[in-house]
Amino acid sequence: MAILVIVALLAFYMAWNLGANDVANAMGTSVGSKAITLTQAIIMAGVLEFLGAVLFGQEVTSTLGTKIADPALFATTPQTLVTGMISVLLSGGIWLQVATSRGLPISSSHAIVGAIAGFSWVSLGIEAIDWSSMGLITIGWMLTPIISGAISAGLYSLIRHWIFNQLHPLSQLQEWTPWLSTLLLSIFGIIVLPTITQPLSQFLLIERKLNIPPHDMTLFITGIAVIALTLISWRQLANSQIDNQIQSLFAKFQVISACFVAFAHGSNDVGNAIAPLAVIYYINQQGKIPSHQLTIPFWIMLLGAVGIVAGLAVWGKKVITTIGENIISLEPSSGFCAELATAMTILLASRLGLPVSTSHALVGGVVGIGLVQNLQAIKLGTIQNIAAAWLITVPLSAALSAMIFTIINRQ
């Protein structure tokens, strides 16, 4: 029981740092463009991240918990896997905290992958590492910001040509609004809807117990998310201080897109924090390693959700400031293009089977805007620091995890 309490605290620590670092992906450009305030961003992201994590984080966490390391390799030594997962939580949390303290947006997924590679190498040998996957991560690290930057620059160039450079830009924007709305809902709908539909099978058990018709339960759950997503975003925009009518309209698009990202992030990335805890809990209860399906207790989902929101509220400002203000100066129109480019890059990379990092895509999108606006406006020192953090995330996490694993095993 004592080990579970310790691991639960470590999972909360990991979720805390994940919230402080990763949630900037959703709200950084909206804060930087002055579409919303930092306080509004924390409230909006907190609610949506929590809903996404608690309602729809089960499937992703189960996948990470059973495929994050090949369970068959630890069939005879489940306690080795327990030690390894503790090392993953500690090393991932420490590196995320260091990066966040310096305001550097990094990929929590890459930190976790590196940590797994580190303890697997020490415990099972170099052959335990899937080098093809590591190669894909490297390719994804290089391509993601380039693709996102190109898309972002292209979108912003089109908007400048067809709206801002016209004689009557406001009327032009009003003509484009239905098309922009369709594009926004299509791109983000494709990202968010699988997040909602994939885990619905777990709710069928609840439906049977409560005698709730399946379609009613589905509509109820989806309705909660959609209503929260819409009302929160438009409510927060009521006090927007943007006087320019064109930028004010773009601010609405931008905040809605940010809400989509926050909801999807809570659903997907909560698994990075709580999958190791779920695996350890299963081993502690069953005395064996988990199979290909892992049922996540609600208290573990809740722990991860609360940790993400707490980390965002207490320490999220640093990375949000980096994304929104310390690369280039953003307006709602440019911030909207960066977010849309990020979403399109995620979809494209997923289709190609490349491991994606929202942090990498968003930074690339913001830089792409800077290339169109004014190359000299890009703060190269910030870009260099971010790139350096990206470059060392996997090897540093691996080394840290290997060291922690070795120290724990010697106790």
Side-chain angles (χ1 to χ4, degrees), residues 95 106-107 110-112 114-115 388-398:
W95 175 229
I106 64 171
S107 170
H110 289 186
I112 292 296
W390 289 353
L391 187 62
I392 65 174
T393 288
V394 172
L396 183 67
S397 299

Side-chain angles (χ1 to χ4, degrees), residues 325-329 375-384:
E325 301 175 13
N326 291 347
I327 299 178
I328 61 169
S329 297
L375 182 60
Q376 294 180 340
I378 300 175
K379 299 174 183 177
L380 294 179
T382 301
I383 298 299
Q384 290 172 350

Side-chain angles (χ1 to χ4, degrees), residues 36-90:
I36 53 175
T37 66
L38 179 63
T39 301
Q40 289 171 338
I42 289 172
I43 293 171
M44 293 162 65
V47 172
L48 291 165
E49 290 271 344
F50 184 86
L51 281 174
V54 172
L55 292 177
F56 305 116
Q58 164 84 25
E59 187 72 18
V60 175
T61 304
S62 178
T63 299
L64 285 171
T66 55
K67 297 180 181 177
I68 202 166
D70 186 358
L73 297 175
F74 301 92
T76 58
T77 56
Q79 287 307 311
T80 300
L81 183 58
V82 169
T83 305
M85 288 302 177
I86 292 174
S87 304
V88 167
L89 288 173
L90 264 174

Side-chain angles (χ1 to χ4, degrees), residues 354-369:
L354 293 173
V356 294
S357 165
T358 310
S359 301
H360 293 191
L362 187 60
V363 170
V366 172
V367 172
I369 297 295

Side-chain angles (χ1 to χ4, degrees), residues 313-329:
V314 175
W315 220 17
K317 180 180 179 180
K318 288 180 175 289
V319 179
I320 285 178
T321 301
T322 297
I323 292 285
E325 301 175 13
N326 291 347
I327 299 178
I328 61 169
S329 297

